[in-house]
């Protein structure tokens, strides 16, 4: 049954109609809990409040960007945006039936209304701004889009993820951000810079954005439009397909990797290095200008690493009952070697480093890479999910991205060999030996091609020794970070990051000895 809202005022007054807003807020919790884009499903909602209700008039229709303050019992407040629009039809699962005096309409999430799609597209292609009592809605057109490019048609994809999506003219893809942050989303800045300054080709090109700009507070990103990429699968799936052949050979006692697998890894390494070179492009844009390893950054990074390790060790202690024998062995080794790890982290503060820092992808793994027309397209530049928006914009060594993709290779082969039905009765030592051999061959191939593409005289990295240090540092950081992800969702997989940590600790012990 569709919930009902009733108000004596009309739709144009909804911006200030507190009673109607309260009725809407009362029906939203179950709607949000069932939405794919809602990230607070694990927490109990305490209450919802109207944060802002921004009107958007287009083509004779009124829409609202309704920003909901979501308060939880045991979690920090979050903000979600629900565009609102009216329709005379209940087709498409309306949020509510809404009555204005004697007139009745259906209140919809406007992300699924065709007229709203058209309004967004037209305003972006014309770079139109709309003033509100709380700043203005800034629509920006990217260089990719022609002036006044006509709207032909639009559609929503069948499945939404953490954001909502719209396809335009079979040419563009718009991401509407549901969870809002009090700053511009880094993905908008990254795509704009890579497309228009770095001239990097292997990403969805920046086509436009919608940002809510205000005078005394940071701007908030509502939407990003980019070129559409017709890719059938991401590289995590593709790598899994390639590993199926490796798995079959392993079952029959053979160790075999097809030559095209190495060719694909080399191509991915080149595209990754080219992305980092594009982000290294000299610019007057302070948000992207290259920086040194300053004392302030070194202190920030050390504290980040220390807090990360302390937090993950506490999580392990709280979940020891979920760990199998091998995971417990490696977890206990990490605890014993905590001092060694911290001594390694402390080098961040004192080690001479002449390499430079830039903006990076920040959440780089195989799932963020699409295979398209025999080439790779890199997507999702929002940054590390656990980090604040401000922290996602901090400049790091690009070795952090390299470590992310290498860790992803380790995940891919470990998941395939340790968690496939075909190997559930296989000897664990034999499984580990095969996993390690595949991982080292593939990661060495990636590493060598990446370094060759960057060029040994490039100022981004001062020396091979500095590269090795930064790579090992971020490889360890990434594996420690992964502990939290697995303990929260897949404790059986905890041995994968723990094995990665053990491998780095073994390297550190060599230098210690």
């Amino acid at each position: 049954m569709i919930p009902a809202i009733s108000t004596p005022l009309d739709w144009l007054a909804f911006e200030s109609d507190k009673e109607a807003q309260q009725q809407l807020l009362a029906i939203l919790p179950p709607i949000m809990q069932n939405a794919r884009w809602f990230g607070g499903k694990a927490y109990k909602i305490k209450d919802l409040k109207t944060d802002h209700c921004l009107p958007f008039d287009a083509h004779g229709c009124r829409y609202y960007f309704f920003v909901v303050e979501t308060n939880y019992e045991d979690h920090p407040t979050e903000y979600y945006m629900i565009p609102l629009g009216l329709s005379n039809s209940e087709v498409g699962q309306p949020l509510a039936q809404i009555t204005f005096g004697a007139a009745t309409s259906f209140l919809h999430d406007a992300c699924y209304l065709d007229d709203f799609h058209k309004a967004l597209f037209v305003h972006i292609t014309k770079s139109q701004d709309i003033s509100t009592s709380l700043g203005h809605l800034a629509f920006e057109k990217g260089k990719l889009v022609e002036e006044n490019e006509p709207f032909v048609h639009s559609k929503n994809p069948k499945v939404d993820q953490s954001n909502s999506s719209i396809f335009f003219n079979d040419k563009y893809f718009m991401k509407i951000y549901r969870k809002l942050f009090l700053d511009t989303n880094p993905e908008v800045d990254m795509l704009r810079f890579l497309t228009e300054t770095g001239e990097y080709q292997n990403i969805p090109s920046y086509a436009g954005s919608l940002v809510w700009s205000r005078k005394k507070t940071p701007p908030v990103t509502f939407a990003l439009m980019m070129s559409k990429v017709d890719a059938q699968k991401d590289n995590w799936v593709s790598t899994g397909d390639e590993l199926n052949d490796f798995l079959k050979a392993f079952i029959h006692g053979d160790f075999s990797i097809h030559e095209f697998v190495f060719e694909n890894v080399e191509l991915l390494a080149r595209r990754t290095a080219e992305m980092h070179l594009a982000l290294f492009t000299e610019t007057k844009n302070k948000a992207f200008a290259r920086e040194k390893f300053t004392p302030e950054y070194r202190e920030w990074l050390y504290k980040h690493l220390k807090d990360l390790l302390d937090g993950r060790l506490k999580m392990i202690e709280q979940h020891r009952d979920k760990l199998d024998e091998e995971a417990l062995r490696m977890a206990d080794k990490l605890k014993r070697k905590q001092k060694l790890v911290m001594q390694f982290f402390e080098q961040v503060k004192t080690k001479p480093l002449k390499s430079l820092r830039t903006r990076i992808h920040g959440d780089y793994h195989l799932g963020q890479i699409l295979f398209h027309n025999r080439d790779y397209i890199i997507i999702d530049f929002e940054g590390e999910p656990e980090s604040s928006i401000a922290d996602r914009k901090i400049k790091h060594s690009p070795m952090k991205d390299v470590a992310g993709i290498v860790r992803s290779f380790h995940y891919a082969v470990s998941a395939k060999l340790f968690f496939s039905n075909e190997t559930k009765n296989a000897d664990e030592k034999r499984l580990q030996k095969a996993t390690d051999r595949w991982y080292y061959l593939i990661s060495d191939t990636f590493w060598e091609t990446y370094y060759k593409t960057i060029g040994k005289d490039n100022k981004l990295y001062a020396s091979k020794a500095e590269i090795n240090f930064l790579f090992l540092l971020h490889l360890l950081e990434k594996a420690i970070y992964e502990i939290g992800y697995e303990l929260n969702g897949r404790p059986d997989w905890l041995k994968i990051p723990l094995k990665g940590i053990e491998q780095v600790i073994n390297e550190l012990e060599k230098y210690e000895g």
Side-chain angles (χ1 to χ4, degrees):
M1 184 175 177
I2 301 174
I5 295 173
S6 179
T7 175
L9 304 180
D10 62 22
W11 179 236
L12 298 179
F14 189 82
E15 176 185 6
S16 57
D17 190 345
K18 302 304 181 185
E19 176 57 32
Q21 291 179 21
Q22 282 302 121
Q23 293 180 57
L24 174 58
L25 292 169
I27 67 174
L28 279 179
I31 294 172
M32 293 173 66
Q33 289 284 1
N34 289 322
R36 289 290 297 272
W37 46 259
F38 182 58
K41 292 182 175 65
Y43 310 106
K44 185 177 180 180
I45 296 176
K46 181 179 179 181
D47 61 56
L48 302 178
K49 297 178 181 178
T50 300
D51 181 67
H52 288 90
C53 186
L54 305 175
F56 170 37
D57 294 323
H59 308 124
C61 294
R62 164 66 63 92
Y63 306 97
Y64 292 99
F65 292 102
F66 191 59
V67 182
V68 180
E69 176 185 314
T70 309
N71 298 301
Y72 302 97
E73 296 282 354
D74 53 356
H75 188 70
T77 297
E78 295 179 331
Y79 296 87
Y80 288 89
M81 192 265 288
I82 306 174
L84 300 176
L86 292 184
S87 169
N88 293 323
S89 171
E90 61 180 285
V91 174
Q93 297 182 328
L95 301 174
Q97 180 176 295
I98 186 165
T99 301
F100 305 99
T104 298
S105 295
F106 292 97
L107 182 65
H108 287 261
D109 183 328
C111 285
Y112 307 103
L113 295 178
D114 292 341
D115 288 342
F116 180 69
H117 296 180
K118 182 177 180 180
L120 291 175
F121 185 82
V122 170
H123 276 72
I124 283 180
T125 57
K126 292 183 178 181
S127 292
Q128 291 182 337
D129 284 5
I130 295 179
S131 295
T132 75
S133 60
L134 299 163
H136 65 279
L137 297 170
F139 293 84
E140 180 183 82
K141 178 181 73 67
K143 295 179 181 179
L144 175 72
V145 181
E146 297 178 12
E147 189 76 28
N148 296 324
E149 186 166 341
F151 172 85
V152 180
H153 56 79
S154 65
K155 66 177 181 179
N156 297 106
K158 294 180 180 179
V159 178
D160 278 333
Q161 299 298 328
S162 57
N163 302 293
S164 292
S165 308
I166 306 169
F167 290 118
F168 293 104
N169 299 356
D170 288 328
K171 185 177 179 182
Y172 303 108
F173 169 74
M174 176 177 283
K175 182 186 289 188
I176 297 178
Y177 296 106
R178 295 299 199 146
K179 184 177 179 180
L180 301 181
F181 300 93
L182 298 179
D183 201 346
T184 52
N185 193 295
E187 187 168 29
V188 174
D189 304 331
M190 290 285 285
L191 286 194
R192 185 194 291 118
F193 183 85
L194 283 168
T195 299
E196 300 181 354
T197 302
E199 298 182 348
Y200 183 66
Q201 302 295 317
N202 291 77
I203 56 169
S205 299
Y206 175 76
S209 60
L210 167 57
V211 175
W212 174 29
S213 296
R214 297 172 288 173
K215 291 183 179 179
K216 296 183 179 181
T217 54
V220 178
T221 306
F222 280 176
L224 166 67
M225 190 166 80
M226 63 196 89
S227 59
K228 180 187 175 190
V229 178
D230 293 313
Q232 298 300 314
K233 59 180 68 174
D234 61 45
N235 207 32
W236 172 262
V237 176
S238 299
T239 302
D241 292 342
E242 294 166 358
L243 279 165
N244 285 334
D245 293 334
F246 177 71
L247 177 64
K248 291 175 184 176
F250 170 82
I251 293 169
H252 292 95
D254 296 324
F255 186 94
S256 173
I257 305 176
H258 293 302
E259 183 61 28
F260 73 84
V261 174
F262 291 105
E263 292 172 354
N264 288 343
V265 171
E266 289 170 351
L267 176 60
L268 178 57
R270 286 197 297 274
R271 297 296 178 252
T272 303
E274 289 161 1
M275 174 181 69
H276 289 157
L277 291 173
L279 289 168
F280 190 62
T281 301
E282 190 167 353
T283 177
K284 294 181 180 179
N285 183 344
K286 290 184 179 180
F288 285 86
R290 58 190 73 165
E291 294 183 14
K292 297 179 180 180
F293 278 77
T294 61
E296 294 80 8
Y297 172 75
R298 289 170 180 260
E299 286 292 338
W300 177 91
L301 181 57
Y302 172 73
K303 184 178 184 303
H304 162 74
L305 295 169
K306 181 180 183 301
D307 291 346
L308 180 66
L309 178 60
D310 290 344
R312 292 317 195 239
L313 285 172
K314 288 178 182 177
M315 289 184 72
I316 289 173
E317 287 302 310
Q318 293 167 355
H319 295 86
R320 286 184 67 87
D321 60 322
K322 298 179 181 178
L323 311 188
D324 62 22
E325 184 177 345
E326 179 64 5
L328 280 172
R329 181 193 68 77
M330 290 187 288
D332 290 340
K333 181 174 182 178
L334 173 59
K335 181 66 176 177
R336 292 196 309 274
K337 296 296 181 178
Q338 183 178 0
K339 183 178 179 181
L340 175 65
V341 171
M342 285 308 305
Q343 288 173 343
F344 179 56
F345 286 163
E346 285 171 0
Q347 293 184 48
V348 168
K349 296 193 292 184
T350 58
K351 190 177 183 67
L353 291 172
K354 295 182 179 180
S355 297
L356 297 174
R357 299 182 291 120
T358 67
R359 291 286 289 272
I360 63 171
H361 185 285
D363 188 30
Y364 200 47
H365 56 78
L366 293 172
Q368 308 286 42
I369 301 157
L370 303 179
F371 196 65
H372 175 65
N373 288 340
R374 298 184 180 180
D375 206 344
Y376 289 111
I377 301 293
I378 301 168
I379 62 171
D380 284 348
F381 286 81
E382 291 189 58
E384 197 171 69
E386 283 190 22
S387 300
S388 68
I389 286 294
D391 284 356
R392 296 183 201 189
K393 296 183 181 183
I394 291 175
K395 295 163 189 172
H396 300 283
S397 167
M399 276 296 111
K400 183 164 181 165
D401 280 347
V402 174
I405 208 72
V406 169
R407 286 294 310 140
S408 199
F409 284 132
H410 185 239
Y411 255 83
V413 67
S414 298
K416 184 63 66 175
L417 262 65
F418 279 94
F419 300 104
S420 293
N421 288 330
E422 296 91 333
T423 58
K424 61 183 179 181
N425 295 319
D427 178 71
E428 187 158 323
K429 289 184 179 180
R430 182 167 168 256
L431 282 172
Q432 191 62 64
K433 185 176 180 180
T435 299
D436 290 346
R437 288 179 66 195
W438 186 95
Y439 167 65
Y440 287 125
L441 284 169
I442 295 299
S443 58
D444 284 351
T445 299
F446 181 92
W447 174 261
E448 290 170 7
T449 306
Y450 175 88
Y451 184 67
K452 181 179 179 181
T453 307
I454 288 290
K456 64 179 181 179
D457 297 324
N458 192 289
K459 293 181 180 179
L460 179 58
Y461 302 113
S463 67
K464 193 70 177 289
E466 285 194 17
I467 288 178
N468 291 338
F469 169 74
L470 292 167
F471 174 68
L472 208 59
L473 180 79
H474 289 299
L475 196 67
L476 183 55
E477 174 196 12
K478 185 65 176 176
I480 294 172
Y481 174 86
E482 292 161 356
I483 288 174
Y485 185 84
E486 300 307 344
L487 282 177
N488 284 327
R490 302 179 299 198
D492 289 349
W493 285 38
L494 183 63
K495 66 179 67 177
I496 299 178
L498 286 174
K499 180 63 179 178
I501 293 168
E502 185 176 58
Q503 289 169 339
V504 176
I505 287 175
N506 290 342
E507 289 295 314
L508 298 181
E509 287 179 322
K510 292 178 184 178
Y511 295 109
E512 186 186 39

